[in-house]
Amino acid sequence: MNYRHAFHAGNFADCMKHALLVTLLGHFLRKPSPFMVLDTHAGIGRYDLTSEEAEKTQEWKEGIGLLAEEGPDSPLAPWLDLVKKAGCPRYYPGSPVLTSMMLRPQDELICCEKHPDDKRKLYGLFTRTPNVFVHERDGYEALRALLPPKTAKRGLVLIDPPFEEPGEFDRLLEAVHTIRARFPTGMIAIWYPIKHRTPIRAFYTALQDAGVPDVLATELLMRKPVDPDRLNGAGLIVIKPPYGFAEQATAQLNRLETLLHAQDATVTQITAE
C-alpha cells in the first residue's frame, strides 16, 4: 500500500496524536534552554480538507469536525487554538506545522520526508522559517545522521510511520535503541495504529525485555480491536514523559472519548521510571 495521509487528515487518530504532541511540547517551553524536535515521517505538513482525497473519505468529519464548539476551558484547548490559527476548518495542520507554531527563536525542528513530492510541499511551507529544516530522507536512517542534536541538549523524537510495510514494530524497536544510544536525554513519542492486539502486545513485551525504562502508553479505541483490516484505534507511546503528562493525557483522552464517541481511552505505564 502506498500510504497518503491526505485521505485521513484530521481523523480521530490525528486528533489524539496531535493533542498529546502539543502537550508534550508545552513542557519544553517551561524552561528557557533550547530544544530540538526531530519529526521522522513528516508528511506534507498541512492538509486541505476540501481536497478530493479528504472529500473521498470524509474521515475528518468524525474527528476534528466534531470539535469545533470546544471551549477555552477544555483540556484540548491549547491544541485546538493552534489548529484554528493554522486555518481550520479548511486546513488541518500536521505535526510539522503544529510544532513550528510552538518554537521559539532558540528552538529548532528537523523534518524528514522521503517522498519527493511530499518533501517539496513541506519545504514550501517553511522557506521563510529559519529554524525549521526539511530533509528528503528516510526517517529511520536519519536517526544516526542527525542525532545527537548539535544545538540543544533537550528534545523530542517523534516517530509516526505509515505502517505500510510488514515489520514496522521491529523497526520501531531498533529506532528506540538507536535514539537511546545517541540521544540519551531525549524524549521519544511513537504513534501506532490499533487494528488487533497481538502485534502491540509483542511490542510492549519487547520494550520491557529490552529494559527500556519509563514507557507510557496512551490509547484511544473507537471499537474493540478484533478486525485486523480496520483501524480500530490509535496509540502514542511516550518514553521519558515529563512530570504530570500522564494526568494531562488522561484528561485529554477522556474528553476525546466523549466528543468523538469512542469506546475507551487509557493511559498505562508499561515500564517503570
Side-chain angles (χ1 to χ4, degrees), residues 4-272:
R4 283 295 181 268
H5 194 65
F7 290 97
H8 314 290
N11 68 359
F12 79 90
D14 265 2
C15 292
M16 175 260 192
K17 171 178 60 182
H18 292 143
L20 297 179
L21 172 63
V22 168
T23 299
L24 289 173
L25 295 177
H27 283 268
F28 287 106
L29 298 176
R30 296 180 179 182
K31 295 182 179 180
S33 57
F35 68 90
M36 179 279 308
V37 177
L38 173 57
D39 192 336
T40 63
H41 298 74
I44 65 174
R46 184 177 66 180
Y47 300 87
D48 187 346
L49 298 182
T50 67
S51 69
E52 180 180 351
E53 294 90 345
E55 284 296 319
K56 183 175 181 178
T57 62
Q58 297 193 354
E59 289 186 18
W60 66 271
K61 291 186 177 181
E62 300 300 318
I64 192 64
L66 296 177
L67 307 181
E69 303 302 321
E70 196 68 346
D73 296 328
S74 169
L76 303 173
W79 160 63
L80 288 173
D81 287 346
L82 293 177
V83 170
K84 293 173 183 177
K85 290 177 182 178
C88 201
R90 175 168 181 179
Y91 294 104
Y92 183 81
S95 53
V97 168
L98 288 170
T99 301
S100 71
M101 295 173 74
M102 299 183 71
L103 297 180
R104 304 161 300 183
Q106 67 266 39
D107 309 319
E108 69 177 27
L109 166 63
I110 303 173
C111 299
C112 296
E113 176 50 55
K114 70 177 183 179
H115 294 286
D117 290 342
D118 289 357
K119 180 263 180 179
R120 281 192 288 271
K121 292 177 182 178
L122 183 64
Y123 182 80
L125 292 178
F126 298 119
T127 52
R128 297 186 179 182
T129 310
N131 54 347
V132 177
F133 307 92
V134 178
H135 297 259
E136 184 181 321
R137 69 193 312 168
D138 177 80
Y140 290 122
E141 182 274 332
L143 297 176
R144 294 187 180 278
L146 301 177
L147 295 178
K150 298 178 180 179
T151 59
K153 295 181 179 179
R154 303 188 300 146
L156 168 68
V157 180
L158 173 64
I159 309 178
D160 178 18
F163 282 83
E164 62 185 359
E165 298 177 0
E168 199 71 79
F169 281 112
D170 293 333
R171 286 186 287 275
L172 286 170
L173 183 61
E174 183 178 352
V176 169
H177 290 316
T178 300
I179 296 166
R180 293 185 68 225
R182 300 186 66 83
F183 188 27
T185 61
M187 190 188 309
I188 307 171
I190 300 171
W191 180 88
Y192 56 94
I194 301 174
K195 296 184 176 181
H196 63 110
R197 279 292 179 195
T198 302
I200 297 168
R201 289 196 187 104
F203 184 50
Y204 291 173
T205 300
L207 290 169
Q208 292 166 344
D209 291 345
V212 180
D214 202 5
V215 178
L216 188 76
T218 65
E219 294 187 348
L220 182 68
L221 281 174
M222 303 305 291
R223 60 195 70 85
K224 291 183 179 180
V226 295
D227 185 352
D229 295 321
R230 191 175 186 187
L231 182 62
N232 299 302
L236 188 76
I237 276 183
V238 183
I239 300 174
K240 297 184 67 175
Y243 177 78
F245 173 73
E247 292 76 16
Q248 291 174 300
T250 298
Q252 290 180 309
L253 291 178
N254 286 343
R255 188 59 181 154
L256 286 172
E257 180 185 356
T258 298
L259 295 173
L260 302 184
H261 313 294
Q263 183 183 82
D264 195 20
T266 59
V267 176
T268 307
Q269 194 77 38
I270 303 300
T271 65

